[in-house]
């Protein structure tokens, strides 16, 4: 069974570990980096804040283009990997971390938002992003497209990995709480269950995210549906808000 809203609010501390890293943290594409550079509108060698940076994949790509990046992540394992690559990364909770010097741009990429049932807890991430920006600096929030999840809902998804292992995701929508819960099952090449993990994500609509951004002091500028700069609609692969600190 998929665990619902009563599950541990800090599920992400266990989920984002070395196993997730090896299976899912691919190198970012030029398309994704080009998108971010275009919408942040920061001149080289500007300072960019990478909120919930993981192992620093995006920061590393931005550094190659001449930017100075500062990242934050809660995982000590991910922070160590990023630091070994020469990146400047702080281990801290994104809900409380604010950069000591205002940055020229900031971003939260790949759905690293909405982990909490409480809007007030999710809001803290946006507030810290705003406080880490200079006035006029842009913030790009890259989130899953809730409308597409609802339109194309699949209770069971199976992903085969290149080494013969398999990942099964059992999903359930908790309508009253506005959340999707998922039970991740990891199988080895022989079909034996290795481990299980549970996740959940707050399902925000575009206007709801826009309201949270405004409350955090970030003025929404445009809503996009993916890294090809396409307009947002219910079938778009992503929900990306570009905003600016007021």
């Amino acid at each position: 069974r998929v665990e619902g809203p009563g599950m541990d609010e800090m599920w992400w501390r266990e989920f984002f570990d070395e196993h997730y890293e090896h299976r899912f943290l691919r190198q970012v594409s030029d398309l994704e980096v080009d998108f971010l550079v275009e919408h942040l509108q920061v001149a080289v060698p500007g300072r960019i804040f990478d909120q919930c940076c993981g192992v620093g994949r995006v920061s590393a790509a931005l550094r190659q283009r001449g930017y100075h990046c500062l990242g934050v992540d809660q995982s000590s394992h991910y922070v160590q990997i990023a630091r070994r690559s020469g990146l400047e990364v702080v281990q801290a909770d994104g809900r409380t971390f604010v950069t000591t010097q205002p940055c020229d741009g900031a971003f939260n990429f790949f759905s690293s938002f909405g982990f909490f049932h409480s809007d007030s807890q999710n809001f803290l991430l946006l507030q810290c992003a705003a406080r880490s920006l200079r006035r006029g600096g842009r913030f790009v929030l890259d989130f899953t497209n809730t409308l597409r999840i609802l339109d194309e809902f699949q209770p069971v998804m199976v992903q085969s990995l290149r080494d013969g292992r398999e990942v099964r995701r059992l999903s359930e929508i908790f309508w009253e709480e506005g959340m999707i819960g998922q039970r991740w099952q990891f199988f080895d090449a022989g079909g034996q269950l290795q481990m299980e993990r549970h996740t959940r994500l707050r399902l925000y609509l575009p206007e709801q995210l826009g309201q949270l951004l405004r409350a955090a002091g970030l003025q929404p500028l445009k809503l996009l549906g993916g890294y090809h700069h396409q307009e947002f609609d219910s079938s778009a692969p992503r929900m990306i808000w570009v905003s600016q600190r007021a």
Side-chain angles (χ1 to χ4, degrees), residues 56-241:
R57 297 175 295 155
V58 183
S59 284
L62 289 171
R63 183 179 61 177
Q64 290 180 345
R65 300 194 183 196
Y67 293 99
H68 177 73
C69 294
L70 170 63
V72 63
D73 200 89
Q74 59 84 26
S75 168
S76 60
H77 176 69
Y78 288 1
V79 168
Q80 288 173 8
I81 293 173
R83 287 175 176 171
R84 285 200 294 268
S85 300
L87 296 172
E88 184 181 355
V89 179
V90 175
Q91 183 187 355
D93 190 326
R95 293 172 295 168
T96 59
F97 179 80
V98 177
T99 61
T100 55
Q101 295 181 342
C103 294
D104 301 303
F107 64 94
N108 182 306
F109 241 38
F110 305 131
S111 301
S112 299
F113 178 80
F115 293 171
F116 298 92
H117 172 246
S118 167
D119 288 340
S120 62
Q121 291 299 308
N122 294 322
F123 172 76
L124 292 175
L125 274 171
L126 303 182
Q127 192 173 55
C128 285
R131 292 172 59 193
S132 297
L133 279 171
R134 63 168 175 79
R135 293 197 178 277
R138 288 190 170 194
F139 175 61
V140 176
L141 177 63
D142 170 31
F143 194 62
T144 189
N145 184 353
T146 295
L147 297 176
R148 183 171 179 174
I149 288 178
L150 299 178
D151 286 346
E152 304 176 8
F153 180 70
Q154 300 179 58
V156 180
M157 292 178 283
V158 179
Q159 180 180 359
S160 298
L161 304 180
R162 286 177 293 181
D163 57 5
R165 291 179 293 180
E166 185 177 275
V167 180
R168 299 178 193 171
R169 278 186 282 172
L170 290 74
S171 303
E172 183 176 348
I173 295 175
F174 299 95
W175 296 101
E176 292 184 2
E177 291 78 17
M179 303 194 77
I180 183 171
Q182 292 187 318
R183 177 182 176 187
W184 298 61
Q185 298 178 319
F186 297 88
F187 295 86
D188 63 22
Q192 294 296 312
L193 179 64
Q194 292 182 303
M195 63 179 179
E196 287 191 341
R197 294 284 190 269
H198 291 265
T199 65
R200 63 179 184 175
L201 189 72
R202 186 81 160 84
L203 294 177
Y204 284 108
L205 297 174
E207 62 270 25
Q208 292 174 319
L209 277 185
Q211 290 170 0
L212 287 176
L213 288 166
R214 290 187 185 91
L218 295 160
Q219 180 60 41
L221 299 177
K222 63 183 71 173
L223 175 63
L224 298 166
Y227 310 124
H228 290 279
H229 313 277
Q230 62 264 50
E231 292 185 3
F232 177 83
D233 60 28
S234 61
S235 64
R238 307 297 297 165
M239 181 198 303
I240 307 175
W241 267 114

